[in-house]
């Protein structure tokens, strides 16, 4: 069951949260080969479920009371360890919960544990996890995408109704696409970053990963909202994304719920080199949106290719600064043997960080250093602004933007390992929206090479999560792609 079905079953007392949680714990135990969980605590999960059942028995009717989920291990949690997929934080216990976690706890969700991810969310395949890779439940010889790969694998394999993820340059959308689930990265500032271990602070954003737009809407309503502890949190009233999702469009009809919706297709999102299977599935999804009344318009995002160098300057620059806090003094790992303070810093960081994290710290330090700052970091910031402006020019011609999430379906495990630049290039379609701070979704639209899922990316203007969810929900009411799972393959 997804989030909405689980809620229904719990409220109508068809099942208790303890029963559900036990069933999912059993499923997780039978699917350890997927590598989805970094931490699973059956006893604690069942205690949380019992507390939720007590709330339900007392007549509480909050949408998420008793709904099991788990968190990407980049959110700090007081009652569970937090590693950010790094050896640096092995055994680390936070004294507090991330705001997103605290809000979902307050809403009554039952956390089963912490989900695998790339180290400090740096990666596209979950192979940069310092512990073990997560695998794709559709084909375990392939990657589930990253960096929220554990979240994607768990939801796709039906180990959980939903999960939290984070997206800095595509880490909710791309793994959702690779595993045939639905994910939304809201506008930068909609979910609090407090307690989300920082990778690139101007880009990091939390969001839900689940089976459908409806499930995502239910989770996002509980996760989001202003937080005085995050200086970049947007000051807006709490939102009911589920109600926004259901809000009919003016002039729309039951048969044509998207009548009047203009969907822009940036030429640059459909290059000649785009894999034919991805192109075919994306176009099938667009055809369905047209049947529902949407009109497709040709638009341009001329700086799409530049999003790659811009992101891979800005994100490492911010990471190099953020990760300076892991110095062996305050958090996690400290080298056992050292001669003096400087030697302790060096040994701790050399031992605690993996190769990709070190690469980014070096790139980031380089582009911020005296003599290179103007040539790299400053230029990247200027281009970032121009990329954001390009989107605004598009949104004068359309309401939403659509295209592929990734240039291919999930690749084979080990394929990206030897050439990090190849993995960076595959982020081309998700990075522009991240740099602009726009909300974006991945919605399943069929299957490609090897029977692997393909996602359609939908991007909206700032704070248009409701519009995105509405369009995705309309599509999912009319099609079955999101119902397919590796458990019940469509073919
Ligand atoms: N793949 C991108 C990277 O490696 C995005 C990661 C993310 O969104 N956290 O940085």
């Amino acid at each position: 069951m997804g989030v909405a079905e689980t809620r229904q079953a719990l409220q109508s007392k068809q099942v208790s949260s303890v029963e559900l949680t036990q069933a999912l714990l059993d499923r997780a135990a039978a699917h350890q080969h997927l590598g989805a969980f970094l931490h699973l605590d059956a006893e604690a999960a069942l205690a949380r479920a019992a507390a939720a059942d007590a709330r339900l028995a007392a007549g509480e009717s909050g949408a998420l009371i008793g709904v099991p989920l788990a968190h990407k291990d980049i959110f700090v949690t007081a009652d569970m360890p937090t590693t950010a997929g790094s050896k640096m934080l092995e055994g680390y216990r936070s004294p507090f919960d991330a705001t997103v976690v605290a809000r979902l706890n307050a809403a009554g969700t039952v956390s089963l544990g912490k989900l695998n991810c790339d180290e400090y969310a740096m990666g596209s395949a979950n192979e940069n996890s310092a512990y073990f890779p997560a695998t794709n439940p559709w084909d375990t010889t392939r990657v589930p995408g990253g960096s929220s790969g554990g979240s994607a694998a768990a939801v796709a394999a039906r180990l959980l109704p939903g999960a939290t993820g984070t997206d800095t340059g595509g880490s909710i959308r791309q793994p959702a696409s690779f595993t045939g689930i639905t994910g939304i990265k809201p506008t930068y500032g909609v979910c609090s970053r407090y307690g989300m271990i920082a990778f690139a602070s101007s880009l990091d954003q939390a969001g839900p990963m689940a089976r459908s737009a409806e499930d995502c809407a239910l989770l996002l309503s509980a996760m989001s909202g202003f937080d005085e502890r995050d200086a970049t949190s947007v000051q807006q009233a709490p939102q009911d994304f589920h109600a926004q999702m259901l809000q009919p469009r003016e002039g729309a009809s039951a048969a044509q719920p998207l009548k009047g919706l203009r969907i822009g297709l940036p030429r640059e999102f459909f290059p000649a080199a785009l894999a034919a299977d991805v192109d075919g599935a994306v176009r099938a999804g667009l055809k369905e949106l047209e049947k529902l009344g949407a009109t497709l318009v040709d638009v341009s995002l001329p700086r799409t290719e530049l999003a790659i160098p811009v992101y891979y300057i800005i994100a490492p620059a911010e990471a190099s600064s953020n990760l300076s806090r892991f110095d062996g003094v305050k958090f996690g790992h400290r080298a056992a043997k050292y001669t003096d303070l400087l030697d302790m810093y060096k040994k701790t960081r050399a031992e605690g960080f993996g190769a990709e994290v070190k690469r980014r710290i070096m790139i980031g330090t380089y582009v911020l250093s005296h003599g290179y700052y103007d040539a790299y970091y400053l230029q990247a910031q200027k281009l970032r602004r121009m990329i954001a402006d390009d989107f605004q020019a598009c949104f004068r011609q359309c309401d939403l933007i659509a295209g592929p999430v990734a240039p291919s379906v999930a690749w084979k495990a080990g394929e990206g390992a030897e050439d990090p630049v190849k993995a960076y290039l595959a982020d081309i379609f998700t990075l522009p929206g991240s740099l602009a701070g726009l909300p974006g979704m991945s919605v399943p639209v069929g299957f490609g090479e090897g029977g692997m899922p393909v996602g359609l990316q939908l991007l909206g203007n700032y704070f248009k999560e409701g519009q995105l969810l509405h369009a995705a929900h309309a599509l999912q009411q009319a099609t079955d792609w999101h119902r397919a799972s590796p458990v019940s393959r469509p073919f």
Side-chain angles (χ1 to χ4, degrees):
M1 291 187 287
V3 176
E5 291 166 282
T6 300
R7 161 202 198 185
Q8 187 71 36
L10 285 166
Q11 306 264 331
S12 62
K13 306 270 189 306
Q14 275 171 272
V15 70
S16 71
S17 184
V18 166
E19 286 169 319
L20 263 176
T21 302
Q22 186 59 60
L24 292 175
L25 287 167
D26 294 346
R27 255 190 98 60
H31 289 78
Q32 282 183 31
H33 60 283
L34 293 177
F37 282 92
L38 287 179
H39 172 82
L40 195 68
D41 185 342
E43 213 174 298
L46 289 167
R48 292 183 198 108
D53 281 333
R55 283 176 71 175
L56 286 166
E60 279 193 61
S61 62
L64 298 178
I65 301 176
V67 175
L69 50 60
H71 300 293
K72 181 176 182 179
D73 202 18
I74 197 112
F75 294 96
V76 301
T77 44
D79 54 353
M80 293 181 276
T82 304
T83 68
S86 182
K87 288 280 179 211
M88 186 62 100
L89 285 176
E90 194 164 15
Y92 171 68
R93 284 276 181 162
S94 166
F96 65 95
D97 282 325
T99 297
V100 161
V101 170
R103 290 197 174 157
L104 285 167
N105 284 346
T109 63
V110 172
S111 176
L112 263 59
K114 304 295 285 288
L115 295 160
N116 205 350
C117 59
D118 284 305
E119 187 172 4
Y120 294 102
M122 297 175 188
S124 305
N126 212 124
E127 290 179 313
N128 296 334
S129 166
Y131 297 92
F132 41 83
T135 60
N136 195 313
W138 291 87
D139 173 354
T140 51
T141 67
R142 299 189 191 237
V143 303
S147 62
S148 312
S151 308
V155 174
R158 306 318 192 216
L159 307 187
L160 294 168
T164 54
T166 64
D167 190 311
T168 302
S171 282
I172 287 175
R173 291 162 286 164
Q174 185 256 24
S177 176
F178 278 14
T179 58
I181 65 166
T182 306
I184 181 165
K185 172 202 106 74
T187 308
Y188 181 80
V190 165
C191 286
S192 169
R193 288 184 299 105
Y194 183 72
M196 220 171 90
I197 294 176
F199 161 16
S201 310
S202 76
L203 294 153
D204 297 343
Q205 190 46 214
M209 300 172 76
R211 291 178 209 182
S212 64
E214 178 171 31
D215 289 359
C216 284
L218 291 166
L219 292 171
L220 186 59
S221 301
M223 289 166 70
S224 57
F226 175 64
D227 179 8
E228 62 181 13
R229 292 194 179 99
D230 172 3
T232 56
S233 165
V234 177
Q235 294 217 27
Q236 56 180 11
Q239 302 210 58
D240 183 344
F241 292 108
H242 192 255
Q244 291 180 29
M245 179 196 84
L246 294 174
Q247 185 73 38
R249 287 182 61 80
E250 217 171 294
S253 62
Q256 295 230 296
L258 301 183
K259 196 163 187 270
L261 185 76
R262 298 163 307 163
I263 300 181
L265 306 185
R267 263 158 266 158
E268 298 78 5
F269 278 23
F270 296 88
L274 182 64
D277 57 341
V278 172
D279 187 68
V282 165
R283 291 199 192 270
L286 293 171
K287 198 158 279 160
E288 290 297 330
L289 289 166
E290 271 187 299
K291 278 193 216 158
L292 297 169
T295 49
L296 305 181
V297 260
D298 176 45
V299 295
S300 176
L301 288 168
R303 274 165 276 252
T304 296
E305 275 189 25
L306 286 172
I308 299 169
V310 168
Y311 173 88
Y312 281 100
I313 288 171
I314 291 175
E318 295 184 19
S320 71
S321 171
N322 274 324
L323 269 57
S324 65
R325 76 192 61 182
F326 301 103
D327 56 6
V329 176
K330 302 178 284 297
F331 306 99
H333 180 71
R334 179 184 298 173
K337 286 202 191 100
Y338 48 86
T339 51
D340 56 18
L341 182 63
L342 197 61
D343 192 48
M344 190 278 280
Y345 290 156
K346 285 184 185 168
K347 292 217 166 88
T348 295
R349 289 167 68 82
E351 293 166 8
F353 290 139
E356 182 62 23
V357 174
K358 286 176 183 161
R359 184 177 297 122
R360 296 197 191 197
I361 291 172
M362 287 191 278
I363 294 171
T365 306
Y366 180 82
V367 300
L368 289 174
S369 57
H370 182 73
Y372 295 105
Y373 178 95
D374 288 341
Y376 294 107
Y377 185 72
L378 192 60
Q379 285 298 100
Q381 289 289 24
K382 288 178 182 169
L383 275 163
R384 181 179 189 176
R385 163 59 59 190
M386 292 166 90
I387 288 167
D389 289 347
D390 290 344
F391 273 106
Q392 291 312 306
C394 282
F395 285 126
R396 283 194 279 279
Q397 300 164 63
C398 60
D399 306 297
L400 299 179
I401 288 172
V405 174
S408 72
V409 296
W411 53 82
K412 293 272 183 188
E415 265 180 18
E418 61 292 344
D419 185 1
V421 174
K422 220 171 103 187
Y424 297 173
L425 294 176
D427 289 340
I428 181 160
F429 303 128
T430 50
L431 298 180
S434 295
L435 289 165
L438 295 167
M441 286 189 79
S442 177
V443 187
V445 284
F447 302 88
E449 185 246 314
M452 298 305 291
V454 177
L456 170 78
Q457 181 174 212
L458 290 172
L459 293 166
N461 210 343
Y462 301 113
F463 308 113
K464 296 292 186 189
E465 287 79 12
Q467 204 175 37
L468 274 176
L469 290 161
H470 179 267
H473 182 61
L475 179 69
Q476 294 183 337
Q477 292 296 100
T479 60
D480 279 330
W481 290 310
H482 66 292
R483 291 197 182 87
S485 80
V487 181
S488 56
R489 279 171 190 271
F491 23 60

